[in-house]
């Protein structure tokens, strides 16, 4: 399925974009992480979390085509 | 009974001016059921990293999610502590070393509630709000900040 993914902070820097389309072949967050790491090997050494519809989710979570997906590096507010 | 509150806009472009803090205090002088205020101010440190000095932090955020997260923190704090008032502001964009990037202001009838609430709110913002910080050096190179 075709997703639009938002990237933030050091992740946006590593993938070279803050918002881009991504073709997901699998269906879970875990699949997404694997496919992202294959496409952007720089992510392998980085710490990040996936938010689906603005909530942090576990690896088993299934992704739907209309979901709002974001790849978030460690938080640094305050 | 608690009222339903909508997410407020907590983000300020650039540094939080000290005047905003003074004005905010002044606005509470009409609320005479308040007996104690507590304020937390986050300030940008000129850290030295690998021999280079941080001159500013450039903040960005996943704004919708961060606003929602801070809204939930606000609701949780009102639930947990007997507060009269609460204000939270966080910078986006570039904030220079020495300037203020976070302003948390709580008010209650007595000191204990606002002391505890402020600490709770600051810790929660640091761990739950998707806000990102780029530490910029004098030569415009940067590293990414990470809360511990």
């Amino acid at each position: 399925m075709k997703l639009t993914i938002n990237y933030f902070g050091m992740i946006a820097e590593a993938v070279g974009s803050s918002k881009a389309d991504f073709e997901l072949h699998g269906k879970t967050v875990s699949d997404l992480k694997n496919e992202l790491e294959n496409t952007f090997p720089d992510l392998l050494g980085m710490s990040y979390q996936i938010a689906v519809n603005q909530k942090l989710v576990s690896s088993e979570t299934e992704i739907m085509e209309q979901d709002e997906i974001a790849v978030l590096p460690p938080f640094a507010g305050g | 009974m608690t009222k339903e509150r909508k997410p407020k806009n907590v983000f300020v472009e650039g540094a939080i001016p000290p005047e905003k803090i003074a004005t905010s205090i002044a606005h509470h002088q009409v609320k005479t059921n308040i007996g104690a205020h507590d304020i937390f101010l986050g300030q940008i440190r000129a850290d030295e990293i690998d021999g280079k000095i941080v001159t500013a932090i450039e903040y960005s955020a996943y704004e919708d999610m961060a606003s929602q997260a801070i809204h939930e923190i606000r609701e949780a704090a009102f639930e947990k502590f007997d507060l009269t008032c609460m204000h939270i502001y966080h910078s986006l964009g570039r904030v220079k070393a020495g300037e203020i990037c976070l302003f948390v202001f709580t008010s209650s009838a007595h000191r204990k509630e606002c002391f505890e609430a402020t600490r709770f709110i600051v810790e929660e913002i640091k761990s739950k709000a998707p806000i990102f910080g780029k530490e910029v050096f004098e030569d415009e190179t940067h590293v990414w900040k990470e809360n511990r």
Side-chain angles (χ1 to χ4, degrees):
Chain A
M1 71 188 105
K2 194 174 117 182
L3 301 173
T4 302
I5 303 185
N6 296 290
Y7 302 98
F8 291 89
M10 69 177 90
I11 304 293
E13 205 168 71
V15 306
S17 159
S18 58
K19 189 172 189 169
D21 290 343
F22 189 84
E23 186 66 36
L24 177 67
H25 301 284
K27 57 180 181 179
T28 64
V29 166
S30 171
D31 297 332
L32 174 63
K33 284 182 161 184
N34 288 331
E35 293 178 35
L36 281 171
E37 287 171 8
N38 283 335
T39 311
F40 307 108
D42 283 354
L43 291 181
L44 276 165
M46 298 173 82
S47 160
Y48 66 90
Q49 294 175 286
I50 305 285
V52 176
N53 300 324
Q54 301 182 16
K55 295 276 174 213
L56 295 174
V57 291
S58 70
S59 301
E60 301 82 56
T61 304
E62 287 197 22
I63 293 172
M64 307 291 166
E65 190 140 17
Q66 300 309 316
D67 285 344
E68 182 179 325
I69 311 287
V71 186
L72 307 175
F75 301 168
Chain B
M1 213 181 118
T2 46
K3 328 178 264 197
E4 200 52 33
R5 296 175 192 86
K6 288 198 179 120
K8 288 186 179 180
N9 183 24
V10 300
F11 292 112
V12 173
E13 192 57 38
I16 296 164
E19 296 74 23
K20 186 180 178 72
I21 296 154
T23 308
S24 200
I25 295 167
H27 283 158
H28 290 77
Q29 292 181 333
V30 292
K31 299 188 179 183
T32 48
N33 55 337
I34 293 172
H37 297 300
D38 192 36
I39 289 176
F40 177 85
L41 301 174
Q43 174 169 304
I44 306 298
R45 259 193 329 272
D47 273 351
E48 184 177 335
I49 302 170
D50 296 331
K52 290 199 284 191
I53 308 289
V54 172
T55 56
I57 292 183
E58 214 169 280
Y59 285 105
S60 57
Y62 185 8
E63 284 190 51
D64 289 347
M65 183 177 165
S67 295
Q68 184 57 33
I70 291 171
H71 174 68
E72 285 167 16
I73 293 165
R74 180 193 298 276
E75 293 295 292
F78 270 122
E79 191 74 26
K80 247 169 119 71
F81 307 100
D82 191 11
L83 296 175
T84 314
C85 252
M86 182 192 320
H87 301 274
I88 302 170
Y89 296 100
H90 198 294
S91 293
L92 286 182
R94 193 174 276 228
V95 185
K96 291 187 285 201
E99 292 182 331
I100 303 299
C101 58
L102 173 62
F103 172 29
V104 174
F105 184 10
T106 61
S107 311
S108 50
H110 302 281
R111 67 190 180 284
K112 193 165 175 266
E113 295 291 315
C114 62
F115 278 154
E116 288 176 5
T118 303
R119 172 185 281 265
F120 168 81
I121 294 161
V122 173
E123 296 300 334
E124 289 283 287
I125 289 172
K126 283 185 173 272
S127 68
K128 293 187 177 160
I131 299 171
F132 316 104
K134 192 160 96 171
E135 296 182 300
V136 185
F137 301 109
E138 239 166 357
D139 60 5
E140 289 296 314
T141 58
H142 66 264
V143 293
W144 290 91
K145 183 175 174 267
E146 188 171 329
N147 283 343
R148 287 179 238 176

